[in-house]
Amino acid sequence: MRDRLCKRVFLFVMVFSLVVGANLSVSFAADKKPINLGFIGSLSTPFGVSDSTAIQIAVEEINEMGGILGRPVNLIIEDSKRQVPLALAAYKKLVMKDKCLIVFTEGTEGTSACSQLGARLFPQYPHLQFAVWTAHYPLFDRVEEEYDTYKFMFRAFSNSADSYHPALHFQDFFKDIVGTKKVALLIEDAGWSELWRKGLPGKFPTQKEDFEKNGIEVVYYSETDIKEKMFLPIFEKITESGADTIYWITAYTDTITLTKQWAQSSAKDIDLLFQAGACSYAAFPQMTGGQCLGISSCWPEIAIPFTEHSLPFLKKLKERKAGMMASVYGCYDSPWILKAAVEKVGGTENLDAIIKALETVEIQRGFYKMKFDGRHDQVKGYPYQPVPIGQFQEDGKYVLVFPQELVDITNPGCKYVRVKDLRKQAGQ
């Protein structure tokens, strides 16, 4: 009798252990399920390659450290070919089928369309959208004005209002570093540059108005076509205007052709600053046949050692033949701030809690300190997001010249030199 009872107890324990063990195995497997991240970009462009590569490097490093809460991270890359319909189709796939926790989107038009789709999908498919290579400031008015609808949006990139941000001292670069008194202001006609061209009533002046408010006279102004190839007539007018500095707000303009024509024009001794484009690359001297002496650009391809992780990341980026575009800073660091938010919450199920965590956490992995403000834009002003400026000097040397805090840790002692003085030094 006692033996039968013992056998029954033993059998019950065995069955119970198998059932519980099976359930624990299923639960453990679920806990180790990969966290999917999605990327939508134009993979035939330098920024598409750079952005996706930067995110991939971050994902690999996070996985080497054990993932996020022990779960591996997986990046799924989709090519939009800079076409909004393709971007929308990819976004729907990444959110609905692949169940991505974050979808990274590039460009104003694609990001805007995807955010509207994302707002419709979010209630049933909670997810995050991180905008990269998207500078259009008004796009994130949505977060301010319709928070509950667009709270899933964050921008891991600079925006067109940075020029007006007091913590960035952008006007000080012209007044104190260059010595600008009379400027020729040219802005390419594109969606991302609308704020500089039109301003925002009651909030931001136009770039022209901002210069004049800060005591810099705008003696020449033009809105230029991104397809323009003949710049010599423009440079003749700039010379006639008496400008001592040219500020060309660019992203898609052919800065290679522009620079070659500038160097051969009557405006060649007038300092020229670009916002972005091929001019940001360290290889720009080779691209222009050495004609870029004195040119400066925002977000230069200069290895700034913000942290011990900066240079190793940039080395990996270069080994994979990806350039250091302005957007790689945010692309590389974004998976790390996601990791911090998810680990603070303790899981990926509660998106509202992750959003609240993203609004409060602060990280510094590869570059400046990353934190989001009330618009879900990045907090500005070093040690938070700066706007670095580099200048091409003698022998194609590309040096950081602004802001001073970064100059001191990158190339101490280097200073901005006016182009006419550089030409004299070079015997030109």
Side-chain angles (χ1 to χ4, degrees):
M1 181 82 170
R2 185 173 176 176
D3 289 344
R4 275 202 300 263
L5 181 60
C6 289
K7 287 179 180 178
R8 286 176 182 173
V9 171
F10 177 76
L11 184 60
F12 173 78
V13 171
M14 289 294 292
V15 171
F16 179 79
S17 298
L18 289 171
V19 171
V20 172
N23 287 335
L24 286 173
S25 296
V26 171
S27 176
F28 181 77
D31 288 343
K32 299 302 179 183
K33 185 178 179 181
I35 297 173
N36 285 340
L37 312 184
F39 173 85
I40 304 171
S42 181
L43 301 182
S44 62
T45 62
F47 48 88
V49 172
S50 298
D51 292 347
S52 58
T53 304
I55 298 169
Q56 185 63 59
I57 292 171
V59 165
E60 291 169 3
E61 291 178 357
I62 288 172
N63 285 334
E64 288 169 4
M65 295 174 62
I68 299 177
L69 295 175
R71 295 172 60 183
V73 183
N74 179 47
L75 179 64
I76 303 169
I77 298 174
E78 300 286 345
D79 189 358
S80 68
K81 304 183 189 299
R82 292 191 69 183
Q83 297 178 29
V84 170
L86 290 179
L88 288 170
Y91 195 92
K92 187 177 292 187
K93 169 189 174 290
L94 291 169
V95 171
M96 297 175 67
K97 180 182 177 183
D98 298 320
K99 303 294 190 297
C100 288
L101 181 59
I102 280 185
V103 179
F104 293 89
T105 57
E106 283 183 341
T108 298
E109 292 78 8
T111 293
S112 179
C114 287
S115 68
Q116 293 179 54
L117 173 60
R120 296 196 297 272
L121 294 176
F122 183 82
Q124 188 174 356
Y125 300 94
H127 67 283
L128 302 166
Q129 179 189 15
F130 270 43
V132 298
W133 199 255
T134 305
H136 190 51
Y137 179 84
L139 184 57
F140 275 69
D141 287 347
R142 296 172 182 176
V143 178
E144 280 187 313
E145 297 167 0
E146 301 178 70
Y147 177 82
D148 287 337
T149 302
Y150 291 102
K151 60 188 175 183
F152 65 93
M153 292 175 64
F154 292 82
R155 180 174 4 220
F157 191 52
S158 59
N159 69 65
S160 48
D162 288 355
S163 293
Y164 309 109
H165 201 294
L168 293 173
H169 305 286
F170 197 66
Q171 294 295 349
D172 294 344
F173 171 76
F174 289 96
K175 293 170 66 175
D176 301 335
I177 306 299
V178 181
T180 304
K181 290 183 172 50
K182 296 182 178 182
V183 68
L185 175 62
L186 302 99
I187 309 174
E188 67 179 24
D189 188 357
W192 75 279
S193 66
E194 183 178 341
L195 185 67
W196 282 301
R197 292 182 287 110
K198 299 180 180 180
L200 198 60
K203 201 164 188 178
F204 297 110
T206 64
Q207 183 63 71
K208 182 176 184 293
E209 292 168 339
D210 193 51
F211 270 129
E212 292 170 342
K213 183 182 73 174
N214 282 278
I216 298 174
E217 184 181 359
V218 179
V219 294
Y220 179 85
Y221 176 80
S222 179
E223 295 178 11
T224 57
D225 191 327
I226 60 175
K227 298 178 182 178
E228 181 64 65
K229 295 291 184 182
M230 179 50 69
F231 302 101
L232 287 172
I234 297 174
F235 284 124
E236 293 303 317
K237 292 177 182 178
I238 290 173
T239 303
E240 293 170 5
S241 75
D244 56 52
T245 307
I246 302 168
Y247 179 31
W248 208 312
I249 297 177
T250 57
Y252 301 103
T253 298
D254 182 357
T255 53
I256 298 172
T257 299
L258 193 162
T259 295
K260 289 178 178 179
Q261 293 184 21
W262 164 76
Q264 302 301 319
S265 75
S266 58
K268 68 179 182 178
D269 287 337
I270 301 176
D271 294 73
L272 174 56
L273 169 69
F274 288 121
Q275 179 69 23
C279 48
S280 298
Y281 283 131
F284 199 55
Q286 289 75 43
M287 295 177 182
T288 60
Q291 299 296 299
C292 64
L293 180 68
I295 278 181
S296 51
S297 175
C298 299
W299 297 102
E301 190 180 14
I302 295 173
I304 305 172
F306 288 90
T307 74
E308 69 272 21
H309 302 291
S310 308
L311 302 186
F313 161 72
L314 295 172
K315 181 181 179 182
K316 291 178 184 178
L317 197 68
K318 188 173 182 179
E319 288 172 349
R320 302 187 192 194
K321 304 188 185 307
M324 198 191 82
M325 307 292 289
S327 47
V328 303
Y329 293 86
C331 285
Y332 175 71
D333 281 344
S334 288
W336 294 99
I337 201 167
L338 172 68
K339 174 180 167 68
V342 170
E343 291 178 346
K344 181 177 181 179
V345 171
T348 60
E349 293 74 24
N350 189 338
L351 255 291
D352 284 331
I354 292 175
I355 289 169
K356 289 299 180 185
L358 283 169
E359 293 171 347
T360 59
V361 297
E362 172 180 301
I363 63 109
Q364 186 172 23
R365 172 65 184 185
F367 302 102
Y368 46 81
K369 289 184 178 179
M370 191 175 191
K371 185 176 182 179
F372 293 105
D373 62 19
R375 287 171 53 86
H376 291 181
D377 271 314
Q378 292 183 77
V379 173
K380 304 296 194 299
Y382 187 74
Y384 297 96
Q385 186 191 56
V387 176
I389 298 175
Q391 184 186 32
F392 290 99
Q393 298 185 356
E394 287 187 83
D395 301 320
K397 187 179 180 182
Y398 205 8
V399 300
L400 200 69
V401 293
F402 183 84
Q404 191 61 45
E405 297 95 333
L406 297 184
V407 172
D408 290 342
I409 66 171
T410 306
N411 39 231
C414 290
K415 296 181 179 179
Y416 182 89
V417 183
R418 300 212 71 153
V419 63
K420 59 185 178 183
D421 294 325
L422 283 172
R423 291 194 189 282
K424 287 179 183 176
Q425 293 171 16
Q428 295 183 7

